[in-house]
Amino acid sequence: MTLQRWEQIKAKIFQWNSLDDIPPFTEIEILRILDTLEQESIEADKDSLAILYSMLIFYRLKRNVTDDHLQKQIEGWKQETEQPIIKEMQSLHHYLSVYNEFVAIDWLQYQLRETDFDPVKLRKSKGLLKEIGQIEPLKMEQTASNSKIGKAYHQLFNQIEQIEDIAEGMVYALEQRKSTKDIQPYNEAVEQLRYFITLFYDALPEVMKEEVSADPLEELNQMVGLEDVKQYINQYYHYLKYQQQRKEAGFQMNDEQGLHMVITGNPGTGKTTIARLLATIYHRLGILKTDQVVEVNRSQLVGSFMGQSEENTLNYVKKALGGVLFIDEAYNLKREDQPGNDYGQAVIDTLVSSMTSYEYAEQFVVILAGYPEEMEHFLWANQGLRSRFPEGNLIKLPDFNDEELLQIGEDTALQNDYFFTEKARNRFLSLIEKARVDDSFGNARTVKDLVLQVIFHIGANHHMTFDGDWIKHMRITEGDITDLDDQQDTSVPMNTLEQLIGLRQVKEEVKKLSSFVRVQQKRKSLDLPSVPIQLHSVFSGNPGTGKTTVAKLFAQILKQCGLLKRGHLVIASRSDLVAGYVGQTAGKTKNKIRQALGGVLFIDEAYSLYRGERDFGKEAIDTLVDEMTKHNENLVVILAGYKDEMEQFIASNPGLESRFKKYFHFQDYTEDELLEMVRYHVISYQYQLDEEVLPFLRECFSDRVIAGNGRFIVNLINEAIQYQALRMDMDIEDRKQLQCLTKKDFELAWQSIRRTK
């Protein structure tokens, strides 16, 4: 922070001189300013620091943080500053606590009535004195008495003293059985106390008051993003209010727009929040008796036997009368792939009947919610239900953009007494991007989870030794997020690839491709034109030549290059993509692709997908081609199989041929490479080879072509180890004998496997 920048900040700091005004900086901005002053060892004057800390306390009180250690930060400056705002701030915490104590008491219960018997009057009077006895110790003599709130505070406690004298006189008279007919001064004192409580509340800073707003749209307007939705609901609210006013004036509306709503949006976009807001709007306008929202889903409505679904649905309709019935993921009520004994349709029929029946119609509102595509398909497939929801009563909630998600993340951190540094805020965006790989991204919900993961990581790796430097225990640094982002995979995939036996040409191709990706990503970051990256590949070769292993490393390399968000590998075969019935293959293929988004989809023996024009595999191929275009750089597909079959397969489909440009051929391993594999696996299991083993294996490898390659070697060693165990005496304790594998062990293993051609 430059000296000029600090002077600009100071000028703004001293603009704040009233508790009725919002500070010129947000809470997060204040924390970052204090953090920068500490990190850069900038000497700040006491007045500036005291006001900054006062601003922080102000915001924390606004968030109902009452047990605040920050109060102690400005106690020492009490005599060292002439800033009036600081003295007011010192008293504000106390004022709020006192007000909460006063409003928690039902003072009306202590008023006396002419018809009360003397024992009742005595009990009420003593009860009032007991309440006063608990309130009086709260009085603080030294307050900012010249302020509006200070004057209201002293008026309140002066009234407490007066009412105490009157109540004591009433108790004395009742205990002495004297005349108590004149109860008016006592009741007037109680009523006057309630009046002074109201004055005290009115004197509190406006932003500290928690009055329920007469405008139900305030909560909506405070939500992050959703600008189009806010505009629509504002218009909808004023439309409903306008129609209500017309009715009160004597006008009629025969063709009213229905109140039932459909809210669509991806996870975490606020569907439930909007539903509750609509319930509040309907209630405030007098359309519904309550703002109650009864939330249900398929599991609560659909029964397991005939008649149970109708009963369940009707019971929830009755619970929702006067309010809102909110059905989340409503499309699950009727699933196309369910067998004939699914009772979801019974729920829909009962719901439609209730919405239109004489008994329940217009007594409750139905709000359906779910993912956009699924909800659209569901409603059009159920015309009886669709007709009950006007076209205008469809609210589509958009996904949050990056800036909105960052704001949600910062708000979540702040609610948990943490804040992001500027660098950490920018780094946190990378966590969001890696989580947002498909339509299942949870938006606000996922961002909150990510913030809590960061907080957990900090707590698990730091020790709490509070030395007065409280800000370091609130700070989330770039390093905290980087550590969390990198902790799942500390390996270097390129090094691991280099350590693989053989595969020289494949390694060179992967290196070339990864270098190309890195350069293009760098050019993109510098706003230079980048060459389109085409990474969909064909891996050809015999079994056991390392195709799956290289695919996994390839995915990790692309993640490190910054191209893939997750860098995971999803392995699939024909059975994972192709279904046995018409119309099911596309859904099955899409589900597998969704699992692979942000990583690599590896389809083994891919040529088996196509077995003719009438085969369901053709639908899988068409879906695959379409999804590859749709998800672009968010998905890499690798097709694997025998070389000749793969060439024929790719050539048979123009869509595949145009999308797969990279070909990697995995050669069979040579004799030397196979022997190197044997040595590698034997050492990894901490065994040793007898001197006759390698010559024997070299002779075997030279006489035959090994089918299975590396996979065959692993099986061979496992078999040899088992034959070694068979010849071992169970009581043997000689370490060398337990580790030694002999020629005989491998001869028996070779005969057992006989995987040659």
Side-chain angles (χ1 to χ4, degrees):
M1 182 190 297
T2 63
L3 184 61
Q4 182 181 6
R5 175 60 182 150
W6 170 237
E7 291 299 324
Q8 291 173 346
I9 290 172
K10 279 179 62 176
K12 274 191 169 185
I13 288 173
F14 289 104
Q15 290 175 6
W16 190 56
N17 49 33
S18 171
L19 294 180
D20 284 322
D21 297 330
I22 296 290
F25 301 105
T26 66
E27 186 173 358
I28 293 173
E29 288 172 339
I30 297 166
L31 287 166
R32 287 184 181 144
I33 291 170
L34 290 170
D35 185 43
T36 303
L37 292 175
E38 180 182 309
Q39 295 293 318
E40 299 182 8
S41 301
I42 297 174
E43 286 291 334
D45 59 280
K46 288 284 179 66
D47 280 357
S48 299
L49 285 176
I51 296 176
L52 280 172
Y53 281 120
S54 297
M55 289 178 185
L56 267 187
I57 296 170
F58 176 89
Y59 279 117
R60 291 169 70 79
L61 288 175
K62 193 171 182 294
R63 290 196 285 118
N64 292 319
V65 182
T66 54
D67 54 340
D68 203 333
H69 59 276
L70 295 184
Q71 291 279 356
K72 298 175 183 177
Q73 293 288 136
I74 59 173
E75 279 295 322
W77 299 329
K78 193 172 184 179
Q79 305 300 327
E80 299 180 33
T81 178
E82 297 298 324
Q83 298 296 324
I85 189 71
I86 295 173
K87 295 178 180 178
E88 287 188 40
M89 195 69 238
Q90 289 173 331
S91 302
L92 181 58
H93 178 267
H94 177 71
Y95 291 150
L96 291 171
S97 299
V98 167
Y99 175 73
N100 289 332
E101 291 290 338
F102 271 96
V103 296
I105 300 170
D106 180 11
W107 298 100
L108 281 175
Q109 66 177 311
Y110 299 116
Q111 284 193 323
L112 304 180
R113 293 178 296 186
E114 295 288 352
T115 55
D116 287 339
F117 294 109
D118 284 354
V120 175
K121 293 176 181 176
L122 182 61
R123 176 174 56 79
K124 288 183 177 181
S125 301
K126 284 185 174 181
L128 180 61
L129 286 173
K130 184 178 179 181
E131 297 283 15
I132 291 172
Q134 294 175 344
I135 286 285
E136 276 186 319
L138 298 176
K139 183 178 180 181
M140 182 174 66
E141 295 299 332
Q142 293 184 347
T143 61
S145 57
N146 292 329
S147 66
K148 180 181 176 183
I149 190 170
K151 291 177 181 177
Y153 176 86
H154 286 295
Q155 281 181 327
L156 186 60
F157 276 98
N158 288 339
Q159 183 63 23
I160 281 288
E161 292 176 4
Q162 292 181 28
I163 199 172
E164 184 179 28
D165 291 340
I166 295 173
E168 285 176 347
M170 182 64 69
V171 170
Y172 177 79
L174 289 168
E175 288 181 338
Q176 299 300 317
R177 299 185 181 278
K178 294 185 177 182
S179 174
T180 57
K181 290 183 180 180
D182 190 10
I183 61 175
Q184 185 176 353
Y186 173 96
N187 285 339
E188 286 179 350
V190 174
E191 190 61 39
Q192 190 76 357
L193 176 63
R194 295 176 65 238
Y195 170 71
F196 281 122
I197 292 172
T198 303
L199 289 182
F200 183 55
Y201 176 76
D202 290 341
L204 288 171
E206 289 297 324
V207 294
M208 294 294 173
K209 297 176 184 178
E210 296 183 0
E211 284 185 310
V212 179
S213 172
D215 184 2
L217 301 178
E218 184 176 346
E219 180 185 349
L220 174 69
N221 293 330
Q222 291 175 352
M223 291 176 67
V224 176
L226 306 175
E227 298 307 321
D228 291 342
V229 175
K230 290 175 183 177
Q231 182 181 1
Y232 169 76
I233 293 183
N234 270 278
Q235 292 174 343
Y236 184 62
Y237 170 77
H238 290 296
Y239 163 78
L240 292 175
K241 194 170 185 179
Y242 169 71
Q243 291 298 342
Q244 186 184 45
Q245 291 169 340
R246 288 185 83 250
K247 284 183 180 179
E248 291 171 355
F251 294 100
Q252 292 186 356
M253 187 82 174
N254 291 327
D255 300 314
E256 293 190 47
Q257 182 172 347
L259 300 173
H260 306 300
M261 282 276 182
V262 176
I263 304 175
T264 67
N266 288 322
T269 48
K271 296 187 290 294
T272 305
T273 301
I274 296 297
R276 291 170 182 165
L277 176 67
L278 286 170
T280 302
I281 289 175
Y282 291 151
H283 174 56
R284 294 282 177 82
L285 292 174
I287 297 171
L288 292 177
K289 293 180 180 178
T290 74
D291 59 359
Q292 172 189 228
V293 179
V294 178
E295 300 178 25
V296 295
N297 54 36
R298 174 188 166 90
S299 64
Q300 295 164 287
L301 297 173
V302 178
S304 55
F305 55 84
M306 189 174 295
Q308 189 181 28
S309 296
E310 292 88 339
E311 183 181 353
N312 291 345
T313 305
L314 201 55
N315 285 338
Y316 279 109
V317 167
K318 291 177 180 177
K319 285 183 182 179
L321 290 179
V324 169
L325 179 63
F326 177 75
I327 306 177
D328 198 13
E329 296 186 2
Y331 44 78
N332 284 328
L333 291 178
K334 183 61 177 176
R335 301 168 176 167
E336 291 186 356
D337 57 347
Q338 289 296 307
N341 60 352
D342 178 68
Y343 298 109
Q345 185 61 46
V347 172
I348 297 171
D349 295 341
T350 305
L351 187 63
V352 171
S353 175
S354 300
M355 292 166 68
T356 57
S357 70
Y358 176 79
E359 188 175 4
Y360 303 122
E362 299 184 5
Q363 293 189 47
F364 74 110
V365 169
V366 175
I367 298 180
L368 305 181
Y371 300 158
E373 186 177 343
E374 288 87 339
M375 283 300 297
E376 183 177 355
H377 183 74
F378 166 69
L379 287 171
W380 283 110
N382 294 273
Q383 292 300 322
L385 191 61
R386 177 72 183 83
S387 63
R388 269 67 186 180
F389 294 90
E391 192 68 34
N393 287 22
L394 172 62
I395 298 176
K396 186 174 181 179
L397 304 182
D399 290 336
F400 293 104
N401 61 37
D402 288 347
E403 185 58 36
E404 291 165 350
L405 291 171
L406 283 173
Q407 186 178 339
I408 291 168
E410 287 192 298
D411 290 344
T412 302
L414 194 60
Q415 293 300 319
N416 292 280
D417 273 352
Y418 284 89
F419 73 96
F420 290 98
T421 64
E422 282 289 353
K423 290 182 178 179
R425 185 181 190 272
N426 297 332
R427 187 70 174 83
F428 186 68
L429 184 59
S430 70
L431 288 183
I432 296 174
E433 289 175 343
K434 288 176 182 178
R436 185 168 51 190
V437 294
D438 57 29
D439 292 341
S440 65
F441 173 66
N443 283 279
R445 196 177 305 143
T446 296
V447 169
K448 289 178 181 179
D449 289 342
L450 288 173
V451 172
L452 295 179
Q453 286 180 36
V454 173
I455 292 172
F456 176 84
H457 175 73
I458 293 172
N461 293 278
H462 292 71
H463 297 288
M464 180 66 182
T465 53
F466 189 70
D467 53 3
D469 184 9
W470 54 270
I471 202 166
K472 76 179 181 183
H473 297 292
M474 298 178 68
R475 183 193 300 122
I476 297 176
T477 67
E478 181 182 21
D480 294 325
I481 299 174
T482 302
D483 291 344
L484 178 66
D485 197 12
D486 295 341
Q487 69 178 355
Q488 295 178 351
D489 185 11
T490 57
S491 64
V492 181
M494 191 62 78
N495 292 346
T496 306
L497 176 67
E498 195 61 42
Q499 291 169 6
L500 293 179
I501 295 170
L503 305 175
R504 183 177 58 82
Q505 292 180 342
V506 171
K507 291 175 184 177
E508 290 301 318
E509 281 295 317
V510 172
K511 286 180 186 177
K512 181 178 70 174
L513 196 57
S514 64
S515 298
F516 168 71
V517 171
R518 283 191 174 90
V519 170
Q520 297 309 314
Q521 292 292 88
K522 185 66 176 177
R523 286 175 61 87
K524 188 185 294 184
S525 69
L526 297 173
D527 294 327
L528 293 171
S530 58
V531 178
I533 301 174
Q534 296 182 340
L535 295 173
H536 305 301
S537 307
V538 176
F539 284 12
S540 63
N542 291 323
T545 48
K547 297 186 292 295
T548 307
T549 302
V550 172
K552 183 176 181 180
L553 293 171
F554 189 44
Q556 294 172 2
I557 290 168
L558 293 177
K559 178 188 176 184
Q560 285 196 343
C561 294
L563 186 69
L564 293 180
K565 296 174 181 177
R566 290 181 178 172
H568 64 304
L569 180 72
V570 174
I571 301 174
S573 62
R574 176 185 167 90
S575 62
D576 296 309
L577 306 175
V578 180
Y581 301 94
V582 176
Q584 293 183 340
T585 294
K588 201 172 182 181
T589 303
K590 285 181 180 180
N591 287 337
K592 187 58 69 173
I593 290 170
R594 179 171 289 184
Q595 293 175 27
L597 289 178
V600 171
L601 176 63
F602 181 86
I603 305 177
D604 201 11
E605 297 184 2
Y607 46 80
S608 65
L609 289 177
Y610 185 69
R611 295 175 178 172
E613 287 294 326
R614 296 185 179 181
D615 180 65
F616 292 134
K618 185 178 184 302
E619 185 181 356
I621 297 170
D622 294 339
T623 304
L624 179 66
V625 169
D626 183 57
E627 292 292 307
M628 286 168 65
T629 304
K630 179 179 177 182
H631 295 292
N632 199 10
E633 293 183 5
N634 197 26
L635 173 71
V636 171
V637 177
I638 296 177
L639 305 181
Y642 294 116
K643 184 178 181 181
D644 293 341
E645 285 86 340
M646 288 304 300
E647 289 178 354
Q648 293 174 11
F649 171 62
I650 297 296
S652 69
N653 189 298
L656 292 176
E657 197 169 23
S658 64
R659 284 166 177 80
F660 289 88
K661 302 293 187 181
K662 302 300 296 183
Y663 285 78
F664 296 79
H665 182 62
F666 291 69
Q667 299 283 351
D668 288 337
Y669 290 104
T670 65
E671 294 173 21
D672 289 337
E673 290 168 347
L674 291 173
L675 288 173
E676 190 177 346
M677 283 185 192
V678 171
R679 282 191 290 264
Y680 172 80
H681 288 292
V682 167
I683 291 171
S684 68
Y685 293 137
Q686 293 190 15
Y687 280 89
Q688 295 175 356
L689 294 175
D690 187 77
E691 60 183 14
E692 297 178 330
V693 172
L694 290 179
F696 165 73
L697 290 177
R698 181 178 290 278
E699 183 181 349
C700 292
F701 295 156
S702 63
D703 290 344
R704 305 165 183 82
V705 175
I706 303 302
N709 288 280
R711 199 174 302 158
F712 170 80
I713 296 299
V714 173
N715 292 338
L716 178 68
I717 293 170
N718 287 338
E719 283 292 319
I721 290 173
Q722 291 178 41
Y723 278 111
Q724 186 248 30
L726 188 63
R727 64 178 173 79
M728 283 287 106
D729 186 342
M730 296 304 294
D731 296 328
I732 194 168
E733 295 185 5
D734 189 327
R735 185 180 181 90
K736 288 186 178 180
Q737 290 189 48
L738 287 170
Q739 289 182 297
C740 184
L741 296 175
T742 67
K743 176 183 176 183
K744 187 63 176 178
D745 296 329
F746 277 93
E747 286 177 342
L748 293 170
W750 187 275
Q751 293 172 10
S752 176
I753 299 177
R754 291 194 301 183
R755 286 288 306 278
T756 59
K757 63 180 181 181

